Amino acid sequence: MFHCGFHRLLAAILCLLSVSLFGQIPTFQKAYIGYPQDLCLWGMETKNGFLLAGRTRPSATTNYDGLLIRTDPQGKIIWYKNYGSNITNETFWSVDTTDDGGFFVFGDIQTDSWLVKVDSTGEELWQKRLGEAFFNEDPNGTPVISVSDGCVVSGTITQNQPPLGVRSSFVVRVNNQGETLWSRRYTTTMPSIVRMLAVYHATDSMLYAFSASGRNTGLVALNPSNGDIIKAVEYSHPHDSLICRGLQPTPDGNFVLAGHTYSPDPNAPTLLWLLKVRPNGQIIWSKAYPFPLNQYDSGYLSHFSALSDGGFILSSAQVNSPGSVDWRMLMKLDSNGDALWKKAYTYNNGANEFFKRCFEISDGGLAAVSSLRISQQPNVNALTLIKTNADGEIEGCCAQKRDIAPAVDFPIEVIPISYLHEDYLPFTHANLTPTFQVSFTDTSICTIYPRPTLHDTLRFCPGESVTVGDSTYTQPATVSLLIPSATDDCDTLATYTLEHEAPDPNAALQLDCPADISVQANVPTIVHYNEPTAWSDCNCPDLTLVRTSGPASGAAFPLGATSVCYQADDACANSRACCFTVTLAPAPPPPSDACDTKTSGCLQFELLQVNRDYAQNWAYHVRLTNSCADAVQYAYLQVPKGLQALAPINDIVYTTANGHTFTARNPNFSPFYSVRYHFAAATLSSGQSETFRYVLPQQADVKYIHAAARLFSGAFVETHLNTFSCPVGTEPQPKPEAGERGDYGGGSTLRVYPNPVSAEEALFIEGGDMEGSDFVLRDLTGRLVLEASVTGSQVRVGEAKLANGLYFFNVLKNGLSVGSGKVVVVR
């Protein structure tokens, strides 16, 4: 095991909510500074940047001119131009691209509508005006819509002589040369309440407009070839007036109308509203969005756009308190109209205006344009362009989050409407020439104040990881994310430098091995030991401990001394090694109680006892101890020539108390005349012992015993055990059965009959349960003439073909003599 010193940890675990940052979408806020009363009324993305439109004048004594400013994708000015004259006021309200690379620019000249076509560098190609005496033809903020080989413009017509205030609407289509293809005026059966019919979307087969009449708004479809009305529906709220700010197609082929409401109840809050409809005017859903509830609640929608993901971006203003207004706000909705976020881009140093237009750009971000007073030129109303990422954030600048009230039910009714239309005026040639030149500079600004920033270095060890926000890093890097503020509206832009820890040159490493180990064993043995203890105060935890030599703990170790070595290394380039020794030595033999002991190699023979039984037969007890790894296969104990051992019985199988199983062969003739013990399996090894007992007849008074053993490897070991140093004891005999007479000290209680034996084939034995006992019969010389098993109480002797004479019998049960005697054979 090892313990690592506590290395330097990160000061705190970062649990930061990561938001989309700015690496892939360059963001900025730009102000375009010209003259004190400049206004920005339109903005759009071009092929390689942005185009802003509005009006400008150098001083209070000059009239307004229309203004265009072209920028690159980072908002840097490419060119700027003014258009008009010093006789009338001119303003540009909207721009759209032409199919030849230029721009259609729509605005007004005093009380007339004004359409100008310029090339990609802003050079005027032609200009047209639309106007009628005693009437104002006002674009009223409606967009110019490019169509095949030209454009469509629309606006309102207001009578400026008695009866004053009578309003209607116009729609005109012109070609790329500025020639009017058709012009229509639209009214209803109640002309005084017509406010607007504004075309916002065009296809090859249809022009789509929203209408405004009285309290209501509507959806109108026009024939693009002549302006005829194909379909018109109108939408009404039970008590609120619907002020519509535009119509946008959605990616699913439907349309959304949006605006704000006015209630006849002066205490009722203003609502923003969205209405999604099908091209035939059928309502899909309708939602309204209250401003946060306080006594100053009111709001205003200036523009909105549909997004490529099906959602919407809205620009609005919100009154918070007397003198406190969030003029420049963006609110993002999902495709179901549910609010995702609302953020304010209010500037503290002067007058603010609504975002006049907000729109999605090709890199997935958002853009919005407006006018405001900036600190660099506090008396100048600058045009501004902001470019954010998809979440409304700008690098280095702060966007204030605003609370979002849940959407509320907003019942909308569909009511019938009919419009009348008639031919109207065509555009005519205009020839306005500017009398002054403009000068603009661009500068980067931040609303409110620069975003709070945090810079920190986080160090971690090689092989470890660090989590920043919801991302995990394993290598050095620079990571930026926004830390949401808990107390104000400005999130903190945190930049973390991730570095690997440098090794500590003063770190200490210690390695302690266990003490040497000694084990008593005669064969390779499994040894368990504790691993060394390693400790380091290195500032990184990469401490390794490796065994460099010797067996692992729990492995088998060989006999003798074995060195076990370990090495420890830490991340600070320190290295330590240590070793210990495991020694396996044979266990010393136990104190011997033998009367003679002989050792040959790793085998030890011991003569433990020499006894005589009741019949004065000799019983020898010999112990064999094998300290070799190689097991014993055979053991041999000598029998004098001309005699045969009385026990063990030939081919008897023994299983000893030590669990060794062997078969006795009596007599055995090789390698010498003996009793042989054949082990059934490779046992009796590695210090194990076994005691063998064999019995010789009474006339066998041997002075030494020739003993030997053969190992499974084939090795043969032999020795001689002397008997003359052993006291002669009495061989214990088994007790007689209950009810029997016992006379084991001087004779047998068994009786064999018939005795003498004449022609009988069997002998009967009395004196106890002899079933399964062994019956041994020898002649006067001790030669074995019969060995048989007792079945029931008789022994078959017919096959022995006994000659006349005196014989000695012995009955053995479980290897021990239970009775003996004499038998006379008379034929």
Side-chain angles (χ1 to χ4, degrees), residues 279-298:
N280 62 6
Q282 181 183 3
I283 294 175
I284 298 175
W285 50 256
S286 173
K287 295 187 178 182
Y289 309 88
F291 290 94
L293 296 177
N294 60 58
Q295 59 179 326
Y296 305 106
D297 288 343
S298 63

Side-chain angles (χ1 to χ4, degrees), residues 308-617:
S308 58
D309 62 2
F312 309 94
I313 188 71
L314 286 68
S315 63
S316 64
Q318 175 178 312
V319 178
N320 300 317
S321 64
S324 174
V325 180
D326 283 333
W327 290 100
R328 293 151 42 100
M329 289 205 314
L330 294 179
M331 179 171 162
K332 189 172 183 179
L333 311 179
D334 64 16
S335 58
N336 295 316
D338 294 323
L340 300 176
W341 51 258
K342 182 164 64 172
K343 297 178 181 180
Y345 305 82
T346 303
Y347 198 72
N348 278 347
N349 290 358
N352 291 270
E353 291 190 358
F354 303 111
F355 282 131
K356 298 299 184 181
R357 190 163 189 263
C358 57
F359 50 95
E360 184 178 27
I361 53 181
S362 57
D363 62 8
L366 305 172
V369 295
S370 68
S371 305
L372 54 78
R373 299 283 176 89
I374 64 173
S375 58
Q376 290 92 327
Q377 296 282 345
N379 297 318
V380 174
N381 210 39
L383 288 73
T384 61
L385 167 66
I386 74 168
K387 182 174 182 281
T388 79
N389 64 10
D391 294 319
E393 296 294 334
I394 303 170
E395 183 176 11
C397 298
C398 177
Q400 296 176 300
K401 296 186 292 292
R402 292 292 181 256
D403 293 335
I404 305 174
V408 298
D409 293 336
F410 194 65
I412 294 291
E413 299 174 356
V414 179
I415 60 175
I417 185 68
S418 61
Y419 285 89
L420 304 176
H421 62 84
E422 58 185 0
D423 289 341
Y424 195 57
L425 302 174
F427 275 100
T428 60
H429 179 70
N431 187 23
L432 305 181
T433 302
T435 58
F436 61 88
Q437 291 185 340
V438 294
S439 176
F440 281 87
T441 58
D442 60 69
T443 183
S444 296
I445 62 171
C446 273
T447 57
I448 311 298
Y449 43 80
R451 181 187 304 282
T453 59
L454 168 68
H455 298 273
D456 198 4
T457 299
L458 304 180
R459 294 181 175 86
F460 60 103
C461 295
E464 292 186 338
S465 62
V466 61
T467 299
V468 181
D470 48 7
S471 298
T472 300
Y473 301 88
T474 59
Q475 297 297 326
T478 299
V479 180
S480 295
L481 51 79
L482 291 177
I483 305 176
S485 171
T487 58
D488 56 34
D489 295 317
C490 291
D491 296 338
T492 298
L493 177 61
T495 301
Y496 297 96
T497 301
L498 310 183
E499 297 179 352
H500 278 156
E501 283 278 9
D504 181 0
N506 299 315
L509 173 63
Q510 182 175 334
L511 177 64
D512 297 321
C513 271
D516 293 342
I517 300 173
S518 295
V519 178
Q520 291 183 349
N522 297 300
V523 293
T525 301
I526 292 175
V527 176
H528 294 273
Y529 58 82
N530 294 325
E531 284 190 340
T533 299
W535 176 89
S536 171
D537 63 358
C538 180
N539 51 355
C540 284
D542 189 17
L543 179 62
T544 60
L545 181 66
V546 178
R547 178 170 43 85
T548 57
S549 65
S553 176
F557 278 70
L559 294 173
T562 302
S563 180
V564 181
C565 296
Y566 278 79
Q567 178 173 314
D569 297 275
D570 64 17
C572 293
N574 294 317
S575 183
R576 296 288 184 273
C578 69
C579 299
F580 61 97
T581 302
V582 176
T583 303
L584 268 63
S592 177
D593 53 357
C595 53
D596 191 24
T597 300
K598 297 292 174 57
T599 301
S600 180
C602 49
L603 291 178
Q604 178 178 275
F605 297 85
E606 299 171 278
L607 179 58
L608 301 179
Q609 298 178 50
V610 176
N611 296 327
R612 303 197 75 172
D613 63 13
Y614 71 97
Q616 298 303 300
N617 299 314

Side-chain angles (χ1 to χ4, degrees), residues 725-750:
S725 297
C726 292
V728 178
T730 301
E731 187 73 1
Q733 299 294 328
K735 294 181 180 181
E737 297 291 337
E740 297 281 345
R741 289 181 57 200
D743 189 16
Y744 288 94
S748 172
T749 61
L750 298 180

Side-chain angles (χ1 to χ4, degrees), residues 663-825:
T663 301
R665 182 175 180 181
N666 180 14
N668 176 67
F669 299 95
S670 177
F672 51 83
Y673 191 65
S674 60
V675 175
R676 186 190 72 181
Y677 302 89
H678 179 197
F679 287 81
T683 55
L684 195 60
S685 64
S686 304
Q688 294 177 319
S689 298
E690 189 56 80
T691 300
F692 304 96
R693 172 186 177 275
Y694 78 119
V695 180
L696 298 179
Q698 57 185 343
Q699 64 270 35
D701 183 9
V702 298
K703 303 302 180 185
Y704 65 88
I705 300 172
H706 188 184
R710 188 179 300 278
L711 306 182
F712 268 84
S713 64
F716 182 75
V717 178
E718 58 184 335
T719 189
H720 290 81
L721 295 170
N722 295 318
T723 64
F724 47 77
S725 297
C726 292
V728 178
T730 301
E731 187 73 1
Q733 299 294 328
K735 294 181 180 181
E737 297 291 337
E740 297 281 345
R741 289 181 57 200
D743 189 16
Y744 288 94
S748 172
T749 61
L750 298 180
R751 187 173 71 87
V752 176
Y753 63 92
N755 190 5
V757 179
S758 57
E760 286 79 13
E761 295 292 324
L763 296 176
F764 292 89
I765 303 173
E766 290 182 348
D769 181 8
M770 295 294 107
E771 177 69 30
S773 298
D774 297 312
F775 181 83
V776 180
L777 190 66
R778 298 178 184 276
D779 62 15
L780 289 173
T781 66
R783 183 177 65 88
L784 179 69
V785 295
L786 175 64
E787 184 176 21
S789 295
V790 179
T791 302
S793 60
Q794 64 178 353
V795 178
R796 300 288 297 176
V797 298
E799 297 178 358
K801 298 181 180 179
L802 300 175
N804 292 335
L806 179 64
Y807 294 88
F808 300 93
F809 71 85
N810 195 1
V811 180
L812 298 99
K813 193 168 187 178
N814 296 325
L816 298 176
S817 177
V818 294
S820 62
K822 301 174 183 178
V823 175
V824 176
V825 177

